[in-house]
């Protein structure tokens, strides 16, 4: 009789532990939009494993150009702008979901810290603007970032990294620093 109770308590406790462990994983699919300083992005994150998601983005990245060309130090102001469409594919490893969950912190919609490899492509041909079009280019940037949700649907995300940029028209390769700070809405 005592052995039966011990077994039942053991099964109940292990069931609770396994149930909590299952919640500390990447969501199966997350859709949303994010707005940055001069950009807007629609995205989807699709679970590949319990800690890895594949993020795909499509959106517009904005640029402003400033000139200072007049006599006696007068300022001429912003003289050019562009909105460049881009797409990105980014595998993300959310390395701290289990720790956040065990500490009682939210992991809703993949709220946590991550490492990723962001691959982006921007097109000159589809750029909207008056002058100084951004050339067609591709970036591959290892990133570190974090995302936190507040409320049910709103989030803030920040990320930074150093990587590789290839400009197709000039056949030039460069080192690039990338960073973002975005506010988002998750569907």
């Amino acid at each position: 009789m005592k052995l039966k109770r011990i077994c039942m308590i053991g099964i109940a406790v292990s069931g609770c532990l396994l149930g909590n462990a299952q919640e500390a994983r990447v969501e199966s699919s997350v859709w949303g939009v994010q707005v940055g300083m001069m950009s807007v992005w629609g995205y989807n994150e699709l679970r590949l494993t319990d800690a890895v998601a594949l993020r795909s983005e499509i959106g517009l990245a904005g640029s402003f150009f400033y000139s200072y060309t007049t006599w006696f130090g007068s300022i001429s102001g912003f003289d050019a702008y562009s909105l460049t469409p881009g797409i990105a594919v980014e595998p993300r490893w959310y390395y701290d979901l289990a720790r956040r969950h065990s500490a009682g912190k939210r992991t809703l919609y993949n709220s946590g810290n991550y490492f990723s490899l962001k691959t982006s492509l921007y097109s000159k041909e589809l750029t909207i603007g008056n002058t100084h079009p951004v050339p067609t280019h591709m970036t591959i940037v290892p990133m570190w970032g974090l995302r936190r949700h507040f409320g049910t649907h709103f989030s803030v995300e920040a990320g930074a990294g150093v990587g590789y940029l290839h400009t197709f028209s000039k056949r030039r390769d460069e080192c690039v620093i990338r960073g973002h700070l975005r506010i988002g809405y998750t569907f």
Side-chain angles (χ1 to χ4, degrees):
M1 188 68 158
K2 281 189 174 188
L3 185 59
K4 189 175 184 180
R5 279 190 181 168
I6 292 172
C7 286
M8 293 301 278
I9 290 172
I11 290 171
V13 168
S14 65
C16 289
L17 292 175
L18 288 175
N20 287 341
Q22 289 175 356
E23 291 180 24
R25 66 180 186 179
V26 172
E27 301 272 343
S28 61
S29 182
V30 177
W31 291 87
V33 293
Q34 290 181 327
V35 177
M37 290 288 286
M38 294 184 289
S39 64
V40 61
W41 297 93
Y43 71 89
N44 173 255
E45 285 190 16
L46 185 65
R47 178 177 51 214
L48 300 178
T49 69
D50 285 349
V52 177
L54 181 64
R55 180 181 174 107
S56 53
E57 297 179 333
I58 187 165
L60 292 171
S63 302
F64 288 98
F65 302 93
Y66 180 79
S67 68
Y68 182 80
T69 57
T70 59
W71 285 87
F72 305 111
S74 62
I75 299 171
S76 63
F78 292 105
D79 66 347
Y81 68 91
S82 69
L83 290 171
T84 305
I87 58 172
V89 176
E90 177 181 16
R92 285 186 174 184
W93 171 45
Y94 288 94
Y95 62 88
D96 75 335
L97 290 181
R99 181 191 58 81
R100 287 182 57 80
H101 182 71
S102 65
K105 296 180 180 177
R106 296 180 67 169
T107 59
L108 178 70
Y109 301 125
N110 305 337
S111 288
N113 300 350
Y114 62 86
F115 288 112
S116 69
L117 184 63
K118 186 169 190 170
T119 304
S120 306
L121 179 66
Y122 296 91
S123 173
K124 172 185 175 180
E125 287 74 25
L126 301 173
T127 297
I128 302 164
N130 58 1
T131 59
H132 303 293
V134 176
T136 301
H137 65 281
M138 179 182 81
T139 62
I140 301 173
V141 181
M143 303 273 292
W144 174 86
L146 59 92
R147 178 177 15 190
R148 300 293 186 267
H149 272 80
F150 49 96
T152 305
H153 296 284
F154 294 97
S155 67
V156 63
E157 182 174 316
V162 177
Y164 166 80
L165 179 137
H166 175 76
T167 305
F168 291 103
S169 61
K170 299 176 184 177
R171 294 195 174 133
R172 187 173 64 194
D173 300 327
E174 302 175 32
C175 181
V176 65
I177 298 172
R178 289 284 191 232
H180 66 266
L181 177 62
R182 299 176 183 170
I183 295 174
Y185 183 86
T186 306
F187 299 107

